Amino acid sequence: MSQATTTNNVEQFLAEPLKLGEPTTIGNLELWPLFGPEPTLQYLSFAQGREKGVRIGELEDGASVNDLVVENRSGEIVFLYEGEEVLGAQQNRTLDVSVLVAPGLKVRVPVSCMEAGRWEGHRHAEEMRPAPQTANPRMRRAKASQIRERIGAGLPARANQAAVWEEVAAEAVTHDADSPTGALHDTYERRRGDLQEICAAVPVAEGQVGSIAAINGRMSVLDCLSRADVYASLHRRLVQGYALDSLADEADQLEAEAEDSTARGFALLAQDSEIADRKPGTGLGEEVRFAANGVSGSGLVHEGELIQLSVFPDEDGNRGHSHAVPGGRVSRPSRRRNR
């Protein structure tokens, strides 16, 4: 893979720029598929690896709310996505950072609890399973901001658990969801029918490696992986998160859609962002983080290849500031595939 050596930007880890496909609009949610360069690294998602011996569970020497252990007996590298939710054991969690786990290794990974009212010690040995959703972009963005603040203070890359629980509770109120254990998963279950209907309208495209989502004409998130097959195993889970946020904002629906140029500009700003923090990953590779040009995000790099990228607009990044993500504008209906 050829890569630039004179920059310190995200784009130096891409053999060629990301490309956008034709968008799909479902209500107030717009989704653009992303396409990228041919991948180099071979790896599996957690969902793909489970059948081959990948296990996520509680720490063997005593459970920790904010730590899990990944055991990879698959013979291949396994990838875990930032925001990916796992269910079971003593309580449900989400990954705080993206992680690559080499074959034959056990790796302790930082997580956040998504279920404040359950801590069942008798389920300590239970194997955790992938949830049908990731955390929603609003939750993931809040966690990412907390992690950047902690890194800036010289602390480990972890979310603020108390703040995460507040976000989980707020989502339950927003969606009128009742959960005996305060589980984010129950909020998703409350809206599962609507979420599945939205997902069915946005199938994964051949060769797709990611998505850009906009809600009510404003950028929400960019998610990207290096491998199309791995992204395909995560596509529905990610879209369920996008859809939850879109359902929360239905009452505020604007008479606007984001133009293709807005989404394209969002992707370009992400790739052009200067990396502010670079450190060894929890497993293989390096974690990179940035906050510039009205966007902020994180990625995972291994041997010079961008494996994963998550990008969010800053608070003012959707307000049309110069050097920021342009605000949503009405686009021509002929450029849309509407459900």
Side-chain angles (χ1 to χ4, degrees):
M1 168 183 290
S2 63
Q3 68 180 59
T5 58
T6 58
T7 66
N8 187 38
N9 294 352
V10 173
E11 65 183 354
Q12 71 179 296
F13 301 114
L14 287 165
E16 58 186 56
L18 298 174
K19 297 181 177 68
L20 277 66
E22 288 296 314
T24 300
T25 301
I26 312 97
N28 63 341
L29 174 65
E30 297 169 84
L31 288 174
W32 286 261
L34 285 173
F35 303 91
E38 286 295 315
T40 300
L41 185 68
Q42 172 67 43
Y43 55 93
L44 304 172
S45 69
F46 172 45
Q48 292 171 318
R50 283 189 79 207
E51 297 180 357
K52 299 185 177 184
V54 179
R55 178 185 181 276
I56 296 180
E58 305 289 357
L59 304 183
E60 295 177 358
D61 56 353
S64 165
V65 169
N66 296 122
D67 295 274
L68 291 172
V69 63
V70 181
E71 182 178 4
N72 182 8
R73 295 176 290 182
S74 71
E76 299 184 57
I77 296 173
V78 169
F79 170 79
L80 308 173
Y81 205 107
E82 163 270 314
E84 192 169 354
E85 184 172 8
V86 291
L87 307 178
Q90 296 192 206
Q91 60 186 185
N92 301 344
R93 320 297 218 288
T94 61
L95 276 292
D96 282 353
V97 298
S98 292
V99 181
L100 280 172
V101 183
L105 292 187
K106 291 183 179 180
V107 175
R108 181 169 175 160
V109 297
V111 296
S112 294
C113 169
M114 295 287 120
E115 190 177 18
R118 182 172 74 89
W119 185 249
E120 296 181 309
H122 67 278
R123 296 176 63 178
H124 177 85
E126 182 180 306
E127 182 176 336
M128 305 195 81
R129 64 190 188 279
Q133 71 275 329
T134 64
N136 52 314
R138 186 155 42 203
M139 172 76 71
R140 292 169 55 206
R141 174 178 165 179
K143 288 179 63 181
S145 177
Q146 296 157 17
I147 290 171
R148 286 199 311 276
E149 290 178 4
R150 286 178 57 86
I151 290 174
L155 298 172
R158 292 178 178 271
N160 180 321
Q161 183 60 74
V164 169
W165 279 330
E166 290 179 3
E167 291 284 342
V168 172
E171 292 296 340
V173 171
T174 296
H175 295 279
D176 192 26
D178 180 36
S179 174
T181 61
L184 181 66
H185 180 66
D186 289 339
T187 296
Y188 277 91
E189 288 294 286
R190 165 72 176 80
R191 306 302 303 264
R192 190 68 70 190
D194 296 326
L195 298 174
Q196 290 178 339
E197 185 177 354
I198 293 172
C199 282
V202 196
V204 65
E206 183 177 356
Q208 182 177 350
V209 297
S211 293
I212 292 178
I215 297 172
N216 291 335
R218 299 185 181 277
M219 294 295 106
S220 173
V221 65
L222 179 155
D223 282 307
C224 183
L225 280 168
S226 62
R227 298 197 63 86
D229 58 333
V230 177
Y231 174 78
S233 76
L234 287 162
H235 175 75
R236 286 185 62 88
R237 295 179 174 88
L238 288 164
V239 173
Q240 295 240 346
Y242 309 157
L244 189 75
D245 278 355
S246 75
L247 292 172
D249 291 340
E250 276 184 315
D252 300 325
Q253 185 165 347
L254 305 177
E255 293 297 324
E257 292 178 343
E259 291 186 347
D260 290 353
S261 60
T262 304
R264 192 173 298 110
F266 186 38
L268 289 173
L269 287 172
Q271 295 168 86
D272 192 47
S273 291
E274 184 175 356
I275 294 170
D277 181 74
R278 185 171 174 177
K279 71 179 189 64
T282 301
L284 297 173
E286 293 180 297
E287 295 174 13
V288 297
R289 287 183 172 77
F290 54 90
N293 300 329
V295 300
S296 59
S298 62
L300 188 63
V301 173
H302 182 60
E303 295 183 348
E305 180 181 19
L306 184 67
I307 305 301
Q308 171 268 331
L309 184 65
S310 300
V311 186
F312 307 92
D314 290 344
E315 285 295 336
D316 63 351
N318 270 313
R319 294 178 185 159
H321 293 187
S322 60
H323 310 299
V325 179
R329 301 181 181 88
V330 177
S331 59
R332 296 192 298 273
S334 62
R335 301 178 69 187
R336 294 279 174 245
R337 293 203 312 273
N338 293 294
R339 170 177 157 267

